[in-house]
Amino acid sequence: MSLDGEWARADVFRVLRDICSNEDLDWPYLAQRYNFDLASLEDPQGVVPITAWHGVFEYIAEKLGNDAVMFDLFNNVDIGCFSIFDYLFACAPTLRDACQAWVKFISIRTNAYRMTFEEDETGGYVQWPILEGRGEWRQNMFARMGWATQQLEHALDMKTPPIMIELATSEPKNRSAFQKKYQGRIRFNSPHNRIALPKALLSRPLRRNDAHLYDIILKSALGELDRFGELEAPLSRIANEVASNLADGSCTLPHVAAKLGMSQRAVQRLLEKEGTSFRKLSEEIRRSAAERYLRSTDLPMKEIAYLLGFSELSTFSRAVKAWFGVSPRKVREAPEKPLSISGDPASDERVKQFSRPALKNKGASASQPRLREAITAD
């Protein structure tokens, strides 16, 4: 299998196609529009570009006329739809082990990002990074959150586990059964995409755990890791590290290189090979993040400026005007269509290349504090 660029497993499209089988969706058209191989949906090892992975979800939600529908669709899928990754969670010894398995094996699902699991005195946090510059991910994240909570519900044998859900996007206009079920436990316009788990649940044995079965599952997962785990896109780790360090003012080459365990020169060489530089990549990511915050959240301007690493609102406003030709307020009020990126054609093309990486498939053509609400287990 030969892969270039950022990808995600195609089986999520097969699941989406099957659960929307009664809808008038033209999948050959979607494959052409979002540049993925339709045959990859039937291939157990099939992959699609990460931008297609995002774009198709946005398209279908719009086609269905319901911007909250993905919560419900993926909160009701069968365990096992995503094969070994589902069973790594469902059959783990404890909830902590299940979350750690997600982190360890996420690279069999995508090379575009890595999940994290952290604990503090109140509990644990499963977090998905915010992907900047890869297209709108809102509906895809709603689907992932619906799926992840369904995994929790099943593994813990709880209809509504006592969790807290945070989403780094605005609340949908429509209302889903999922939102009603978790009413009071979903926070939109958050700095994170994550689930907070109460400490009392982390050591809880999961109902489907079987030591012998789990050993078989782990061996199978390690086999997939051999096939997929080393296929990381060159820019992914650097871009994601830049994005995660915007708010704290440490988005510098020395800091990012140290976080990646690389020398500054190694980072520079890698970026030069990809036709860019650290300064250009950082600017592209900050610009993409600015558009996402302004158009996909209801956060105040001062908070957005802070999250992007600007110390002054006036500096942020000038940067937005330079990027998009209009004020932050005008960007927020603009119709839902891509904005002009800049007046520099070369810069525009670089952003397009970063946002739509090539993919070849075998046989295929802060101002919010850390969440610390006391959550008690049932």
Side-chain angles (χ1 to χ4, degrees):
M1 181 182 294
S2 176
L3 294 171
D4 300 300
E6 295 183 318
W7 53 267
R9 295 285 285 271
D11 52 5
V12 71
F13 281 2
R14 184 180 68 249
V15 172
L16 186 56
R17 181 197 62 190
D18 292 347
I19 59 182
C20 294
S21 60
N22 293 328
E23 305 295 337
D24 184 21
L25 298 176
D26 187 344
W27 281 90
Y29 165 75
L30 289 174
Q32 182 179 24
R33 174 170 175 167
Y34 293 102
N35 191 31
F36 66 89
D37 177 22
L38 193 59
S40 66
L41 275 65
E42 310 304 334
D43 181 356
Q45 298 182 26
V47 298
V48 297
I50 195 69
T51 46
W53 203 55
H54 291 157
V56 168
F57 276 82
E58 296 296 320
Y59 176 92
I60 291 179
E62 183 177 359
K63 184 79 172 177
L64 298 179
N66 186 334
D67 66 343
V69 69
M70 294 301 170
F71 282 127
D72 288 348
L73 292 181
F74 280 80
N75 191 237
N76 290 288
V77 296
D78 294 333
I79 296 295
C81 282
F82 304 115
S83 63
I84 203 67
F85 202 69
D86 278 4
Y87 295 120
L88 279 167
F89 193 91
C91 299
T94 68
L95 183 57
R96 179 182 288 106
D97 293 318
C99 294
Q100 291 171 343
W102 270 353
V103 171
K104 180 177 180 178
F105 291 100
I106 185 60
S107 55
I108 70 177
R109 297 298 307 167
T110 178
N111 71 345
Y113 67 86
R114 295 294 177 261
M115 294 175 65
T116 60
F117 174 68
E118 298 178 349
E119 294 185 53
D120 64 14
E121 65 274 13
T122 67
Y125 301 85
V126 176
Q127 184 165 324
W128 294 259
I130 297 171
L131 295 185
E132 305 292 4
R134 283 85 151 188
E136 180 58 66
W137 45 259
R138 185 171 181 250
Q139 294 299 324
N140 184 282
M141 193 65 233
F142 287 173
R144 273 183 278 167
M145 200 60 76
W147 163 81
T149 52
Q150 192 256 16
Q151 291 274 318
L152 286 164
E153 293 160 8
H154 179 84
L156 295 168
D157 198 19
M158 293 180 174
K159 184 177 181 180
T160 310
I163 61 176
M164 185 67 71
I165 298 165
E166 293 183 88
L167 286 158
T169 187
S170 58
E171 186 173 357
K173 295 181 177 66
N174 297 102
R175 185 77 169 168
S176 63
F178 177 86
Q179 289 167 271
K180 294 176 183 177
K181 180 166 65 171
Y182 285 96
Q183 187 169 3
R185 293 189 176 274
I186 306 179
R187 175 176 293 173
F188 294 94
N189 294 309
S190 167
H192 314 283
N193 291 315
R194 69 182 184 181
I195 298 176
L197 308 163
K199 192 176 187 68
L201 284 183
L202 294 179
S203 299
R204 180 168 174 155
L206 301 188
R207 68 186 182 98
R208 291 189 61 175
N209 174 247
D210 176 284
H212 178 66
L213 175 60
Y214 197 59
D215 185 55
I216 295 172
I217 292 169
L218 286 174
K219 288 179 180 178
S220 179
L222 287 169
E224 288 207 5
L225 201 60
D226 287 340
R227 291 192 292 271
F228 290 99
E230 301 302 320
L231 299 173
E232 188 165 50
L235 288 181
S236 296
R237 290 182 62 214
I238 299 174
N240 292 340
E241 197 61 51
V242 167
S244 68
N245 284 279
L246 289 177
D248 59 15
S250 58
C251 187
T252 63
L253 176 58
H255 181 82
V256 170
K259 290 290 290 292
L260 294 170
M262 301 170 66
S263 70
Q264 295 180 48
R265 186 57 195 144
V267 172
Q268 290 173 323
R269 282 197 300 267
L270 192 156
L271 292 172
E272 288 168 4
K273 183 179 179 181
E274 296 297 319
T276 189
S277 67
F278 186 83
R279 182 187 64 78
K280 289 180 181 178
L281 181 63
S282 300
E283 186 77 355
E284 291 162 9
I285 291 171
R286 183 175 273 110
R287 179 170 49 226
S288 173
E291 182 174 1
R292 180 183 64 80
Y293 280 124
L294 288 168
R295 304 187 67 167
S296 298
T297 77
D298 302 318
L299 293 173
M301 297 297 180
K302 286 185 178 180
E303 186 162 355
I304 295 174
Y306 168 80
L307 290 171
L308 295 176
F310 292 98
S311 58
E312 300 291 338
L313 182 58
S314 58
T315 310
F316 166 66
S317 297
R318 286 195 296 272
V320 171
K321 185 69 178 295
W323 291 332
F324 305 116
V326 296
S327 68
R329 181 175 60 83
K330 293 290 187 181
V331 174
R332 174 160 278 177
E333 294 173 351
E336 290 296 324
K337 61 181 179 180
L339 293 169
S340 173
I341 295 172
S342 73
D344 180 1
S347 175
D348 286 4
E349 182 58 30
R350 175 70 201 129
V351 175
K352 291 175 184 177
Q353 291 174 0
F354 178 69
S355 300
R356 294 193 297 273
L359 179 144
K360 296 178 182 179
N361 198 5
K362 183 172 68 173
S365 60
S367 54
Q368 293 192 44
R370 189 173 174 86
L371 181 65
R372 295 184 183 276
E373 282 82 0
I375 306 173
T376 57
D378 287 352

